Amino acid sequence: MVTLLLLAPSLVMAVLLLAIPLLVVIAYSFAGRDAYGGAVTGFTLESYIELFQPAYLPIFVNSLKIAAMSTAVCVLIGYPIAYFIAFRAGRHSGLLLALLLIPFWIDFMIRMSSWMVLMGRNGTINGALTGSGIIDEPIRMIGTYPAVMVGMLYAFLPTTVLPIYAALCGINRRLLEAADDLGAGPIEAFWRVTFPLSLPGVMAAMLFVFVPAMGVYAIPVLLGGGKSLILGNLIVQLFLDFRNIPLGAAVSVVMLVLSSVIIVFYMRVLRRVEEAHA
C-alpha cells in the first residue's frame, strides 16, 4: 500500500501526459477526415493505406538515411572523445564532462539558430574565410546536407559521449594490464579488450541518437532549408499546413512503431553481447 501511494503521483502524471495523449493520437490515426482536414469519428485504414503511396516512401527512406548517418558520425567522433576523457584526462575529466554538457543549459532552438549565424552567407565562418583570403566569395552552407549533419552532430554528440564514457569507466583496468603482460600492444589490447567491453555503451549511444534523429524537426528546417524532408517535418506539415490530422497521426504512430522495433532489437542484441562477455 505504501509503495502504491509513493508511486501514485508518477503513475498519474504518466497516464495524463503519456498514455492518454498517445491513445488520442492512435484514435485519430484510424479516424476519417472531413472537408476541413479534421478528424471524423469512426474506424478506417485510409490514412495508413495512403502512407503506401510513392510520394511518402522517399520521406521514410530519407529519415532512416539521415538518422543512420547522424548515428555513424556521432559515434565515430564521440568514441575518441569519451576514450580520452575516461583514460587520458585524469583529474580534468570532470571539467571536460561539464564543458560537454554546457550546451544543454541553453534552449535548443537558440543553439540551432546560432549555427545559422555561423554558417550563413554573411556569417562568421564565411567572414573569417574571405577575410583571410582562403576563399574569394562566400560558400553556401545553409540549405545543404553537410549543414544538417553538423547540426545533428552538435545536438547529439553529448548523448553519444556520455554512455560510451560510462561503459569505458566500468572497464577493469587490470584486464588491460593483463593484456599488456601477455604481449598485446595498445592497438590489439583496444580491439580485444577495451572495445568489446565498451559495446553496451556504444549501442546505447546509437539508440540515443538514431531514434530521436528520425523525428527531429528543427535541424532540417533551420540548417537544411526544409529541403531534407523527414518524418518530423512531415508530421508538422500534415497537421499545420495540409490540415490532415488523421494522416499526421498515422505517420506519428508509424514512427512510434519503428522506434519501438528498434528498441526491442537493441535490447535483444545487447542481451546477447552481455551474455558473450559474461
Side-chain angles (χ1 to χ4, degrees):
M1 186 64 181
V2 176
T3 303
L4 182 61
L5 290 175
L6 292 175
L7 292 176
S10 300
L11 292 175
V12 171
M13 295 296 291
V15 171
L16 292 178
L17 301 180
L18 182 62
I20 294 179
L22 181 59
L23 292 175
V24 171
V25 171
I26 294 175
Y28 276 152
S29 70
F30 291 104
R33 180 190 180 195
D34 59 23
Y36 300 99
V40 178
T41 303
F43 182 86
T44 177
L45 297 176
E46 290 181 1
S47 296
Y48 290 97
I49 295 174
E50 189 174 349
L51 289 179
F52 287 96
Q53 299 296 324
Y56 295 105
L57 180 60
I59 299 176
F60 282 91
V61 174
N62 192 42
S63 299
L64 295 174
K65 177 184 174 182
I66 290 180
M69 286 295 297
S70 303
T71 303
V73 170
C74 286
V75 171
L76 289 175
I77 296 178
Y79 195 102
I81 296 174
Y83 184 90
F84 177 81
I85 297 175
F87 289 98
R88 297 289 184 266
R91 59 189 180 89
H92 300 294
S93 59
L95 175 62
L96 293 177
L97 288 175
L99 293 174
L100 189 69
L101 294 174
I102 282 178
F104 280 101
W105 301 354
I106 305 172
D107 182 76
F108 180 79
M109 292 298 296
I110 295 177
R111 287 186 281 137
M112 289 301 106
S113 298
S114 66
W115 277 104
M116 296 181 65
V117 176
L118 290 172
M119 295 191 295
R121 187 169 182 82
N122 298 316
T124 307
I125 297 177
N126 273 321
L129 293 176
T130 53
S132 59
I134 298 177
I135 59 176
D136 297 327
E137 58 183 20
I139 301 174
R140 179 173 170 270
M141 300 182 192
I142 299 296
T144 62
Y145 191 80
V148 175
M149 287 296 102
V150 169
M152 291 288 192
L153 175 63
Y154 178 74
F156 296 115
L157 185 62
T159 56
T160 306
V161 173
L162 292 178
I164 298 177
Y165 169 79
L168 290 171
C169 287
I171 297 177
N172 191 336
R173 299 301 193 269
R174 294 181 179 179
L175 296 175
L176 301 177
E177 296 175 359
D180 182 64
D181 293 339
L182 293 173
I187 297 178
E188 185 179 5
F190 172 79
W191 286 113
R192 290 190 171 219
V193 179
T194 305
F195 184 73
L197 293 177
S198 66
L199 274 179
V202 174
M203 294 178 60
M206 293 172 64
L207 180 68
F208 293 160
V209 176
F210 190 89
V211 172
M214 283 197 306
V216 68
Y217 168 73
I219 297 175
V221 170
L222 296 178
L223 301 183
K227 297 179 180 179
S228 298
L229 190 61
I230 61 175
L231 292 177
N233 309 64
L234 178 62
I235 292 172
V236 173
Q237 288 185 3
L238 289 174
F239 271 100
L240 301 182
D241 298 336
F242 300 148
R243 293 286 299 167
N244 194 336
I245 294 177
L247 185 57
V251 176
S252 302
V253 173
V254 170
M255 189 172 69
L256 177 64
V257 171
L258 285 175
S259 302
S260 301
V261 170
I262 293 171
I263 292 173
V264 171
F265 176 77
Y266 159 79
M267 296 300 295
R268 290 189 176 183
V269 174
L270 179 60
R271 188 180 298 112
R272 292 183 179 182
V273 170
E274 291 177 344
E275 291 175 355
H277 294 90

